[in-house]
Amino acid sequence: MGKALDDVRILDFTHVQSGPTCTQLLAWFGADVIKVERAGAGDITREQLRDIPDADSLYFTMLNHNKRSVTIDTKNPEGKLVLEALIQKCDVLVENFAPGALDRMGFTWERIQELNPKMIVASVKGFGPGPYEDCKVYENVAQCVGGAASTTGFDDGPPVVTGAQIGDSGTGLHLALGIVTALYQRTMTGRGQKVLAAMQDGVLNLCRVKLRDQQRLERTGVMKEYPQYPNGTFGEAVPRAGNASGGGQPGWILKCKGWEHDPNAYIYFITQAPVWVKICNVIGKEEWATAPEYATPTARLPRLKEIFAEIERWTMTKTKFEAMEILNKYDIPCGPILSMKEIAEDDSLRKTGTIVEVDHPVRGKYLTVGNPIKLSDSPTDVTRSPLLGEHTDEVMAELGYSREQIEALRTAGAI
Ligand code: COA
Protein backbone atom coordinates (compact mmCIF):
# COMPACT_ATOMS: atom_id res chain seq x y z
CA MET A 1 0.00 0.00 0.00
CA GLY A 2 1.27 3.51 -0.80
CA LYS A 3 1.69 6.25 1.78
CA ALA A 4 -0.09 9.59 2.03
CA LEU A 5 3.06 11.69 1.54
CA ASP A 6 4.89 9.32 -0.82
CA ASP A 7 6.06 12.01 -3.26
CA VAL A 8 7.03 14.60 -0.68
CA ARG A 9 10.72 15.22 -0.02
CA ILE A 10 11.66 16.94 3.22
CA LEU A 11 14.97 18.65 3.87
CA ASP A 12 15.17 18.07 7.60
CA PHE A 13 17.35 20.63 9.27
CA THR A 14 15.96 19.92 12.72
CA HIS A 15 17.61 18.98 15.97
CA VAL A 16 16.79 18.16 19.59
CA GLN A 17 13.05 17.47 19.99
CA SER A 18 10.52 19.91 18.56
CA GLY A 19 11.60 19.82 14.91
CA PRO A 20 12.45 16.10 14.84
CA THR A 21 8.98 15.26 16.23
CA CYS A 22 7.47 17.05 13.25
CA THR A 23 9.65 15.47 10.57
CA GLN A 24 9.29 12.01 12.11
CA LEU A 25 5.53 12.29 11.75
CA LEU A 26 5.91 13.35 8.12
CA ALA A 27 8.23 10.39 7.54
CA TRP A 28 5.62 8.08 9.07
CA PHE A 29 3.10 9.44 6.60
CA GLY A 30 5.50 8.46 3.81
CA ALA A 31 7.65 11.53 3.13
CA ASP A 32 11.31 11.02 2.23
CA VAL A 33 12.96 12.84 5.13
CA ILE A 34 16.62 13.73 4.61
CA LYS A 35 18.14 14.84 7.88
CA VAL A 36 21.14 17.16 7.51
CA GLU A 37 23.69 16.93 10.29
CA ARG A 38 27.20 18.12 10.96
CA ALA A 39 29.87 15.52 10.17
CA GLY A 40 31.48 14.03 13.27
CA ALA A 41 28.89 15.53 15.62
CA GLY A 42 25.35 15.30 14.34
CA ASP A 43 22.21 16.16 16.26
CA ILE A 44 23.34 16.89 19.82
CA THR A 45 20.80 14.41 21.18
CA ARG A 46 22.70 11.48 19.63
CA GLU A 47 24.97 11.65 22.66
CA GLN A 48 22.68 13.14 25.28
CA LEU A 49 21.26 10.96 28.09
CA ARG A 50 23.09 7.92 26.72
CA ASP A 51 22.31 4.57 28.35
CA ILE A 52 24.72 2.55 26.18
CA PRO A 53 28.24 3.86 25.53
CA ASP A 54 28.77 4.90 21.87
CA ALA A 55 25.22 3.99 20.82
CA ASP A 56 22.84 6.72 19.66
CA SER A 57 20.76 7.66 22.68
CA LEU A 58 17.10 6.75 23.04
CA TYR A 59 16.48 10.49 22.98
CA PHE A 60 17.73 10.53 19.39
CA THR A 61 16.48 7.16 18.16
CA MET A 62 12.94 7.74 19.43
CA LEU A 63 12.62 11.04 17.52
CA ASN A 64 14.28 10.19 14.24
CA HIS A 65 12.73 7.00 12.89
CA ASN A 66 12.20 6.48 9.16
CA LYS A 67 14.65 9.25 8.19
CA ARG A 68 17.85 9.29 6.14
CA SER A 69 20.93 11.04 7.52
CA VAL A 70 23.41 13.03 5.44
CA THR A 71 26.32 15.00 6.80
CA ILE A 72 26.97 18.44 5.30
CA ASP A 73 28.99 21.32 6.69
CA THR A 74 26.70 24.11 5.61
CA LYS A 75 29.27 26.75 6.48
CA ASN A 76 31.78 25.25 4.03
CA PRO A 77 31.40 26.85 0.53
CA GLU A 78 31.26 23.45 -1.17
CA GLY A 79 28.90 22.15 1.49
CA LYS A 80 26.63 25.11 0.77
CA LEU A 81 26.48 24.01 -2.88
CA VAL A 82 25.34 20.55 -1.82
CA LEU A 83 22.66 22.12 0.35
CA GLU A 84 21.57 24.29 -2.57
CA ALA A 85 21.17 21.17 -4.71
CA LEU A 86 19.04 19.64 -1.96
CA ILE A 87 16.90 22.76 -1.69
CA GLN A 88 16.21 22.51 -5.42
CA LYS A 89 15.15 18.88 -5.07
CA CYS A 90 13.02 19.08 -1.92
CA ASP A 91 9.48 20.31 -1.24
CA VAL A 92 9.85 21.42 2.36
CA LEU A 93 12.73 22.67 4.50
CA VAL A 94 12.06 22.20 8.21
CA GLU A 95 14.31 23.84 10.78
CA ASN A 96 14.36 24.70 14.45
CA PHE A 97 17.65 26.52 14.82
CA ALA A 98 18.04 29.50 17.07
CA PRO A 99 16.54 32.62 15.48
CA GLY A 100 18.64 33.91 12.58
CA ALA A 101 20.87 30.81 12.24
CA LEU A 102 19.54 29.91 8.77
CA ASP A 103 20.09 33.50 7.58
CA ARG A 104 23.62 33.48 9.01
CA MET A 105 24.29 30.35 6.96
CA GLY A 106 23.30 32.35 3.88
CA PHE A 107 19.95 30.66 3.40
CA THR A 108 17.51 33.52 3.77
CA TRP A 109 13.89 33.13 2.68
CA GLU A 110 14.72 35.20 -0.42
CA ARG A 111 17.70 33.00 -1.33
CA ILE A 112 15.69 29.82 -0.83
CA GLN A 113 12.91 31.22 -3.01
CA GLU A 114 15.45 31.99 -5.74
CA LEU A 115 16.62 28.41 -5.62
CA ASN A 116 13.16 26.88 -5.42
CA PRO A 117 10.02 29.06 -5.49
CA LYS A 118 7.90 26.04 -4.55
CA MET A 119 9.85 25.43 -1.35
CA ILE A 120 7.92 25.54 1.92
CA VAL A 121 10.15 26.74 4.76
CA ALA A 122 8.82 25.60 8.12
CA SER A 123 10.29 26.76 11.40
CA VAL A 124 9.88 26.18 15.10
CA LYS A 125 10.95 29.15 17.18
CA GLY A 126 10.56 29.85 20.88
CA PHE A 127 8.55 33.01 20.36
CA GLY A 128 6.76 34.67 17.48
CA PRO A 129 7.65 38.23 16.40
CA GLY A 130 7.96 40.59 19.36
CA PRO A 131 10.23 41.41 22.26
CA TYR A 132 11.49 37.86 22.77
CA GLU A 133 11.84 36.77 19.14
CA ASP A 134 15.63 36.39 19.40
CA CYS A 135 15.56 34.12 22.45
CA LYS A 136 16.60 30.49 22.49
CA VAL A 137 13.93 28.33 24.05
CA TYR A 138 13.69 24.82 25.46
CA GLU A 139 10.66 22.79 26.53
CA ASN A 140 10.15 24.03 30.07
CA VAL A 141 10.69 27.65 29.12
CA ALA A 142 7.85 27.26 26.62
CA GLN A 143 5.63 25.70 29.29
CA CYS A 144 6.32 28.68 31.53
CA VAL A 145 5.72 31.40 28.94
CA GLY A 146 2.74 29.66 27.35
CA GLY A 147 0.63 29.64 30.52
CA ALA A 148 0.98 25.95 31.39
CA ALA A 149 3.23 26.28 34.45
CA SER A 150 1.24 29.01 36.18
CA THR A 151 -1.90 26.90 35.91
CA THR A 152 -0.36 23.51 36.80
CA GLY A 153 0.18 22.22 40.33
CA PHE A 154 -1.58 22.86 43.60
CA ASP A 155 -2.73 26.17 45.00
CA ASP A 156 -0.35 26.04 47.96
CA GLY A 157 2.70 25.09 45.89
CA PRO A 158 4.91 26.64 43.21
CA PRO A 159 4.18 26.50 39.47
CA VAL A 160 4.84 23.03 38.02
CA VAL A 161 5.88 21.84 34.56
CA THR A 162 4.24 18.75 33.12
CA GLY A 163 6.02 15.64 31.90
CA ALA A 164 4.12 15.81 28.63
CA GLN A 165 6.41 17.66 26.24
CA ILE A 166 3.80 20.11 25.12
CA GLY A 167 6.39 22.75 24.22
CA ASP A 168 8.58 20.56 22.04
CA SER A 169 6.49 17.66 20.74
CA GLY A 170 3.33 19.76 20.96
CA THR A 171 4.83 22.46 18.76
CA GLY A 172 6.22 19.82 16.40
CA LEU A 173 2.68 18.58 15.90
CA HIS A 174 1.44 22.09 15.20
CA LEU A 175 4.23 22.56 12.67
CA ALA A 176 3.42 19.28 10.90
CA LEU A 177 -0.16 20.45 10.42
CA GLY A 178 1.10 23.76 9.06
CA ILE A 179 3.32 21.95 6.59
CA VAL A 180 0.67 19.63 5.15
CA THR A 181 -1.70 22.60 4.93
CA ALA A 182 0.92 24.61 3.02
CA LEU A 183 1.51 21.60 0.75
CA TYR A 184 -2.20 21.48 0.06
CA GLN A 185 -2.36 25.21 -0.70
CA ARG A 186 0.65 24.81 -3.01
CA THR A 187 -1.36 22.41 -5.16
CA MET A 188 -3.56 25.42 -5.98
CA THR A 189 -1.08 28.33 -5.99
CA GLY A 190 2.07 26.55 -7.13
CA ARG A 191 3.98 28.60 -4.57
CA GLY A 192 5.85 27.80 -1.40
CA GLN A 193 5.38 29.78 1.79
CA LYS A 194 6.81 30.23 5.28
CA VAL A 195 5.26 28.25 8.12
CA LEU A 196 6.01 29.32 11.68
CA ALA A 197 5.05 27.50 14.86
CA ALA A 198 6.22 29.36 17.95
CA MET A 199 6.51 27.25 21.09
CA GLN A 200 4.83 29.90 23.24
CA ASP A 201 1.88 29.93 20.84
CA GLY A 202 1.69 26.13 20.71
CA VAL A 203 1.62 25.81 24.50
CA LEU A 204 -0.94 28.60 24.80
CA ASN A 205 -3.11 26.87 22.22
CA LEU A 206 -3.05 23.78 24.43
CA CYS A 207 -3.85 25.99 27.45
CA ARG A 208 -6.82 27.58 25.68
CA VAL A 209 -9.22 26.56 28.48
CA LYS A 210 -7.16 28.53 30.98
CA LEU A 211 -7.54 31.73 28.98
CA ARG A 212 -11.25 30.91 28.97
CA ASP A 213 -11.11 30.69 32.76
CA GLN A 214 -9.15 33.95 33.06
CA GLN A 215 -12.03 35.78 31.41
CA ARG A 216 -14.64 33.94 33.47
CA LEU A 217 -12.73 34.89 36.62
CA GLU A 218 -12.53 38.53 35.61
CA ARG A 219 -16.27 38.60 34.99
CA THR A 220 -17.52 36.69 38.01
CA GLY A 221 -14.64 36.67 40.52
CA VAL A 222 -15.15 32.99 41.24
CA MET A 223 -14.98 29.63 39.45
CA LYS A 224 -17.11 27.13 41.22
CA GLU A 225 -15.51 23.99 39.80
CA TYR A 226 -12.07 25.02 41.12
CA PRO A 227 -10.86 23.56 44.44
CA GLN A 228 -10.55 27.14 45.77
CA TYR A 229 -14.36 27.24 45.91
CA PRO A 230 -16.12 27.66 48.31
CA ASN A 231 -13.58 28.11 51.12
CA GLY A 232 -10.42 29.39 49.41
CA THR A 233 -9.79 32.70 47.70
CA PHE A 234 -9.34 33.73 44.10
CA GLY A 235 -6.84 36.37 43.04
CA GLU A 236 -6.49 38.23 39.75
CA ALA A 237 -5.17 35.35 37.67
CA VAL A 238 -6.34 31.78 37.03
CA PRO A 239 -5.05 29.77 39.97
CA ARG A 240 -3.51 26.30 39.93
CA ALA A 241 -6.37 23.83 40.06
CA GLY A 242 -4.65 20.68 41.34
CA ASN A 243 -6.35 17.76 39.67
CA ALA A 244 -9.63 19.46 38.88
CA SER A 245 -10.94 18.48 35.50
CA GLY A 246 -10.70 21.71 33.54
CA GLY A 247 -14.07 21.01 31.94
CA GLY A 248 -17.70 21.13 32.97
CA GLN A 249 -17.69 17.72 34.68
CA PRO A 250 -15.90 17.73 38.05
CA GLY A 251 -13.09 15.21 38.47
CA TRP A 252 -10.25 14.40 40.85
CA ILE A 253 -7.51 11.83 41.40
CA LEU A 254 -8.44 9.34 44.11
CA LYS A 255 -6.46 6.74 46.04
CA CYS A 256 -6.95 3.09 45.24
CA LYS A 257 -6.01 -0.11 47.07
CA GLY A 258 -2.24 -0.22 47.55
CA TRP A 259 -1.63 3.53 47.42
CA GLU A 260 0.48 3.31 50.58
CA HIS A 261 3.31 1.56 48.71
CA ASP A 262 2.52 2.06 45.02
CA PRO A 263 2.91 5.70 43.91
CA ASN A 264 0.57 5.09 40.97
CA ALA A 265 -2.28 3.30 42.75
CA TYR A 266 -4.73 6.07 41.91
CA ILE A 267 -7.63 6.60 39.55
CA TYR A 268 -9.05 9.69 37.88
CA PHE A 269 -12.74 9.83 38.66
CA ILE A 270 -15.24 12.06 36.88
CA THR A 271 -18.59 12.78 38.47
CA GLN A 272 -20.31 13.17 35.14
CA ALA A 273 -23.81 14.53 35.72
CA PRO A 274 -25.77 12.02 33.58
CA VAL A 275 -24.41 9.08 35.62
CA TRP A 276 -24.73 10.66 39.06
CA VAL A 277 -27.36 8.16 40.20
CA LYS A 278 -25.14 5.25 39.15
CA ILE A 279 -22.21 6.79 41.04
CA CYS A 280 -24.36 7.04 44.17
CA ASN A 281 -25.38 3.40 43.82
CA VAL A 282 -21.83 2.13 43.19
CA ILE A 283 -20.35 3.87 46.24
CA GLY A 284 -23.31 2.97 48.45
CA LYS A 285 -24.67 6.49 48.91
CA GLU A 286 -28.07 5.89 47.29
CA GLU A 287 -29.61 8.73 49.32
CA TRP A 288 -27.40 11.28 47.47
CA ALA A 289 -29.28 10.52 44.26
CA THR A 290 -32.37 12.38 45.49
CA ALA A 291 -31.15 14.57 48.36
CA PRO A 292 -31.48 18.21 47.24
CA GLU A 293 -27.92 19.05 48.48
CA TYR A 294 -26.45 16.41 46.13
CA ALA A 295 -28.93 15.67 43.36
CA THR A 296 -27.98 18.47 40.94
CA PRO A 297 -24.59 19.53 39.56
CA THR A 298 -25.03 23.06 40.96
CA ALA A 299 -25.89 21.76 44.41
CA ARG A 300 -22.81 19.52 44.35
CA LEU A 301 -20.28 22.23 43.45
CA PRO A 302 -19.67 23.54 46.99
CA ARG A 303 -19.49 19.94 48.25
CA LEU A 304 -17.02 18.46 45.76
CA LYS A 305 -14.31 17.92 48.38
CA GLU A 306 -16.66 15.95 50.61
CA ILE A 307 -18.07 14.03 47.62
CA PHE A 308 -14.67 13.00 46.33
CA ALA A 309 -13.62 11.99 49.86
CA GLU A 310 -16.63 9.68 50.02
CA ILE A 311 -15.96 8.23 46.57
CA GLU A 312 -12.34 7.69 47.60
CA ARG A 313 -13.49 5.61 50.57
CA TRP A 314 -14.93 3.29 47.90
CA THR A 315 -11.98 3.42 45.43
CA MET A 316 -9.57 2.60 48.27
CA THR A 317 -11.25 -0.80 48.58
CA LYS A 318 -10.40 -1.65 44.94
CA THR A 319 -7.26 -1.72 42.84
CA LYS A 320 -7.25 0.92 40.12
CA PHE A 321 -8.00 -1.78 37.53
CA GLU A 322 -10.84 -3.29 39.56
CA ALA A 323 -12.33 0.16 40.02
CA MET A 324 -11.99 0.87 36.29
CA GLU A 325 -13.77 -2.38 35.40
CA ILE A 326 -16.67 -1.77 37.76
CA LEU A 327 -17.10 1.90 36.84
CA ASN A 328 -16.96 1.21 33.11
CA LYS A 329 -19.90 -1.16 33.42
CA TYR A 330 -21.93 1.88 34.47
CA ASP A 331 -20.42 4.26 31.91
CA ILE A 332 -18.80 6.27 34.68
CA PRO A 333 -15.81 8.04 33.10
CA CYS A 334 -12.56 7.20 34.89
CA GLY A 335 -8.95 6.31 34.16
CA PRO A 336 -6.26 4.49 36.13
CA ILE A 337 -3.00 6.36 36.65
CA LEU A 338 -0.73 4.20 34.48
CA SER A 339 2.99 4.13 35.11
CA MET A 340 5.41 4.13 32.18
CA LYS A 341 6.23 0.52 33.13
CA GLU A 342 2.58 -0.47 32.79
CA ILE A 343 2.29 1.39 29.48
CA ALA A 344 5.44 -0.24 28.12
CA GLU A 345 4.00 -3.66 28.95
CA ASP A 346 0.51 -2.96 27.60
CA ASP A 347 -0.37 -5.55 24.94
CA SER A 348 -3.17 -3.55 23.38
CA LEU A 349 -0.88 -0.57 22.75
CA ARG A 350 1.58 -2.91 21.04
CA LYS A 351 -1.15 -4.42 18.90
CA THR A 352 -2.18 -1.01 17.56
CA GLY A 353 1.40 0.07 16.84
CA THR A 354 1.32 2.81 19.46
CA ILE A 355 4.15 1.05 21.30
CA VAL A 356 6.64 -0.50 18.89
CA GLU A 357 9.76 -2.59 19.38
CA VAL A 358 12.53 -1.51 17.03
CA ASP A 359 15.88 -3.18 16.31
CA HIS A 360 18.97 -1.00 16.00
CA PRO A 361 22.34 -2.21 14.72
CA VAL A 362 24.31 -0.66 17.59
CA ARG A 363 21.92 -0.54 20.55
CA GLY A 364 19.82 -3.63 19.78
CA LYS A 365 16.10 -3.77 20.56
CA TYR A 366 14.28 -0.87 22.21
CA LEU A 367 10.75 0.38 22.61
CA THR A 368 9.39 3.49 21.01
CA VAL A 369 6.11 5.31 20.64
CA GLY A 370 4.78 4.70 17.14
CA ASN A 371 2.58 6.98 15.11
CA PRO A 372 -0.30 8.14 17.32
CA ILE A 373 -2.28 9.14 14.22
CA LYS A 374 -3.66 6.15 12.29
CA LEU A 375 -4.64 6.52 8.63
CA SER A 376 -6.56 3.61 7.13
CA ASP A 377 -4.95 4.07 3.68
CA SER A 378 -1.48 5.01 4.86
CA PRO A 379 -0.29 2.57 7.50
CA THR A 380 2.88 3.39 9.43
CA ASP A 381 5.87 1.05 9.45
CA VAL A 382 8.34 2.25 12.05
CA THR A 383 11.95 1.77 10.94
CA ARG A 384 15.04 2.56 12.97
CA SER A 385 16.73 5.96 13.10
CA PRO A 386 19.71 6.42 10.78
CA LEU A 387 23.33 6.29 11.89
CA LEU A 388 25.16 9.58 11.47
CA GLY A 389 25.74 10.16 7.75
CA GLU A 390 24.49 6.68 6.86
CA HIS A 391 22.85 7.93 3.67
CA THR A 392 25.29 10.65 2.62
CA ASP A 393 26.65 8.73 -0.39
CA GLU A 394 23.20 7.50 -1.42
CA VAL A 395 21.67 11.00 -1.34
CA MET A 396 24.70 12.57 -3.04
CA ALA A 397 24.42 10.02 -5.85
CA GLU A 398 20.72 10.88 -6.22
CA LEU A 399 21.78 14.53 -6.58
CA GLY A 400 24.05 13.47 -9.48
CA TYR A 401 27.44 13.50 -7.73
CA SER A 402 29.94 10.88 -8.91
CA ARG A 403 31.92 8.66 -6.53
CA GLU A 404 35.04 10.75 -7.15
CA GLN A 405 33.22 14.01 -6.46
CA ILE A 406 31.79 12.60 -3.25
CA GLU A 407 35.26 11.55 -2.06
CA ALA A 408 36.69 14.96 -2.97
CA LEU A 409 33.96 16.72 -0.97
CA ARG A 410 34.62 14.41 1.95
CA THR A 411 38.34 15.17 1.85
CA ALA A 412 37.53 18.90 1.74
CA GLY A 413 35.39 18.50 4.89
CA ALA A 414 32.23 19.64 3.09
CA ILE A 415 30.27 16.48 3.81
N1 COA B 1 26.82 22.68 9.36
C1 COA B 1 27.35 23.80 9.87
N2 COA B 1 26.77 24.50 10.87
C2 COA B 1 25.62 24.01 11.38
C3 COA B 1 25.01 22.84 10.89
C4 COA B 1 25.66 22.17 9.81
N3 COA B 1 25.17 21.07 9.29
N4 COA B 1 23.89 22.62 11.58
C5 COA B 1 23.79 23.61 12.49
N5 COA B 1 24.84 24.45 12.37
C6 COA B 1 25.10 25.66 13.15
C7 COA B 1 24.06 26.73 13.02
O1 COA B 1 24.25 27.42 11.81
C8 COA B 1 24.33 27.57 14.24
O2 COA B 1 25.42 28.41 13.97
P1 COA B 1 25.45 30.00 14.32
O3 COA B 1 25.09 30.11 15.77
O4 COA B 1 26.88 30.38 14.05
O5 COA B 1 24.49 30.68 13.46
C9 COA B 1 24.84 26.54 15.24
O6 COA B 1 25.06 25.33 14.52
C10 COA B 1 23.97 26.21 16.42
O7 COA B 1 22.61 26.33 16.17
P2 COA B 1 21.61 26.68 17.37
O8 COA B 1 20.25 26.46 16.87
O9 COA B 1 21.94 28.04 17.91
O10 COA B 1 21.95 25.56 18.46
P3 COA B 1 22.05 25.67 20.05
O11 COA B 1 22.43 24.32 20.51
O12 COA B 1 22.93 26.78 20.51
O13 COA B 1 20.57 26.03 20.54
C11 COA B 1 18.20 25.60 20.73
C12 COA B 1 19.61 25.01 20.62
C13 COA B 1 17.20 24.47 20.70
C14 COA B 1 18.06 26.37 22.06
C15 COA B 1 17.96 26.57 19.55
O14 COA B 1 18.23 25.87 18.36
C16 COA B 1 16.55 27.13 19.50
O15 COA B 1 16.18 28.03 20.26
N6 COA B 1 15.74 26.63 18.57
C17 COA B 1 14.39 27.11 18.34
C18 COA B 1 13.44 26.67 19.39
C19 COA B 1 13.44 25.18 19.55
O16 COA B 1 13.22 24.43 18.63
N7 COA B 1 13.58 24.75 20.80
C20 COA B 1 13.31 23.42 21.20
C21 COA B 1 14.38 22.49 21.01
S1 COA B 1 13.78 20.92 21.42
Side-chain angles (χ1 to χ4, degrees):
M1 195 183 279
K3 299 274 159 63
L5 299 181
D6 261 346
D7 296 326
V8 176
R9 213 173 282 128
I10 310 276
L11 178 48
D12 181 8
F13 234 153
T14 68
H15 65 156
V16 201
Q17 185 183 163
S18 63
T21 306
C22 165
T23 51
Q24 176 169 265
L25 268 177
L26 301 174
W28 281 339
F29 291 135
D32 177 12
V33 175
I34 302 168
K35 183 170 173 108
V36 176
E37 298 178 83
R38 250 183 298 202
D43 188 324
I44 195 169
T45 60
R46 283 189 186 266
E47 58 179 36
Q48 278 180 342
L49 313 178
R50 266 190 175 143
D51 56 324
I52 301 176
D54 300 326
D56 285 333
S57 69
L58 287 166
Y59 196 2
F60 177 84
T61 56
M62 291 177 72
L63 287 162
N64 289 284
H65 294 103
N66 297 59
K67 303 181 184 178
R68 299 198 281 172
S69 165
V70 299
T71 51
I72 305 174
D73 179 351
T74 56
K75 289 185 175 162
N76 173 306
E78 291 179 87
K80 276 191 207 296
L81 294 179
V82 178
L83 195 69
E84 287 185 1
L86 271 171
I87 290 173
Q88 282 163 329
K89 251 200 126 108
C90 289
D91 300 282
V92 187
L93 186 159
V94 191
E95 62 93 21
N96 68 311
F97 290 127
L102 204 59
D103 291 357
R104 287 193 289 279
M105 263 181 217
F107 292 98
T108 58
W109 164 246
E110 290 74 22
R111 177 68 188 132
I112 294 169
Q113 287 291 286
E114 263 169 37
L115 292 164
N116 180 357
K118 293 182 78 179
M119 174 65 91
I120 290 158
V121 179
S123 305
V124 169
K125 294 289 166 262
F127 294 90
Y132 304 118
E133 65 189 28
D134 291 329
C135 298
K136 290 187 174 184
V137 169
Y138 283 106
E139 170 67 49
N140 289 343
V141 175
Q143 290 197 26
C144 293
V145 299
S150 72
T151 53
T152 304
F154 287 86
D155 200 22
D156 56 357
V160 173
V161 293
T162 151
Q165 304 284 283
I166 57 177
D168 279 340
S169 290
T171 308
L173 272 164
H174 283 86
L175 192 72
L177 179 59
I179 290 170
V180 290
T181 307
L183 280 167
Y184 181 71
Q185 191 171 14
R186 195 179 73 170
T187 62
M188 294 173 282
T189 64
R191 287 196 312 276
Q193 62 179 297
K194 286 187 272 187
V195 180
L196 171 66
M199 295 168 76
Q200 181 183 38
D201 301 5
V203 171
L204 178 57
N205 185 34
L206 300 174
C207 288
R208 180 171 295 262
V209 297
K210 298 297 178 180
L211 185 57
R212 172 202 68 192
D213 289 351
Q214 179 64 33
Q215 295 170 85
R216 293 172 59 222
L217 180 65
E218 282 169 19
R219 187 161 318 235
T220 64
V222 68
M223 290 184 293
K224 294 185 176 172
E225 77 285 10
Y226 272 61
Q228 287 78 1
Y229 177 77
N231 300 321
T233 52
F234 288 91
E236 287 186 340
V238 173
R240 294 184 265 289
N243 289 315
S245 85
Q249 307 288 351
W252 202 256
I253 288 183
L254 306 178
K255 291 171 184 159
C256 289
K257 197 192 240 177
W259 66 274
E260 299 90 337
H261 49 86
D262 176 355
N264 295 305
Y266 289 83
I267 193 163
Y268 199 93
F269 193 109
I270 298 177
T271 55
Q272 194 204 13
V275 291
W276 175 244
V277 175
K278 293 178 186 174
I279 293 170
C280 298
N281 291 340
V282 168
I283 65 168
K285 293 292 279 184
E286 289 82 358
E287 64 276 20
W288 278 3
T290 48
E293 316 91 282
Y294 298 95
T296 66
T298 315
R300 289 195 288 277
L301 283 173
R303 298 182 170 76
L304 287 177
K305 221 171 166 181
E306 173 207 340
I307 289 169
F308 282 123
E310 189 62 40
I311 298 172
E312 190 170 64
R313 270 190 271 284
W314 178 81
T315 57
M316 281 166 69
T317 65
K318 312 276 179 267
T319 69
K320 61 188 176 187
F321 296 112
E322 287 166 355
M324 169 93 171
E325 208 179 320
I326 296 166
L327 296 171
N328 267 339
K329 275 193 210 135
Y330 299 103
D331 277 342
I332 299 169
C334 62
I337 307 305
L338 295 184
S339 69
M340 270 300 150
K341 186 172 183 335
E342 287 163 333
I343 288 172
E345 291 164 358
D346 186 320
D347 276 344
S348 59
L349 290 175
R350 291 187 184 219
K351 281 197 187 104
T352 57
T354 297
I355 298 277
V356 185
E357 190 173 82
V358 183
D359 206 359
H360 185 278
V362 184
R363 71 163 27 260
K365 289 194 166 52
Y366 65 95
L367 287 185
T368 195
V369 184
N371 192 345
I373 305 164
K374 321 287 196 235
L375 269 61
S376 62
D377 266 6
S378 182
T380 298
D381 311 301
V382 179
T383 61
R384 70 167 173 84
S385 59
L387 302 176
L388 180 60
E390 185 175 347
H391 304 95
T392 304
D393 289 22
E394 179 182 298
V395 171
M396 295 292 286
E398 286 167 15
L399 291 173
Y401 287 85
S402 68
R403 181 133 299 285
E404 292 72 34
Q405 286 172 315
I406 297 171
E407 281 321 314
L409 285 170
R410 190 162 280 131
T411 310
I415 58 172

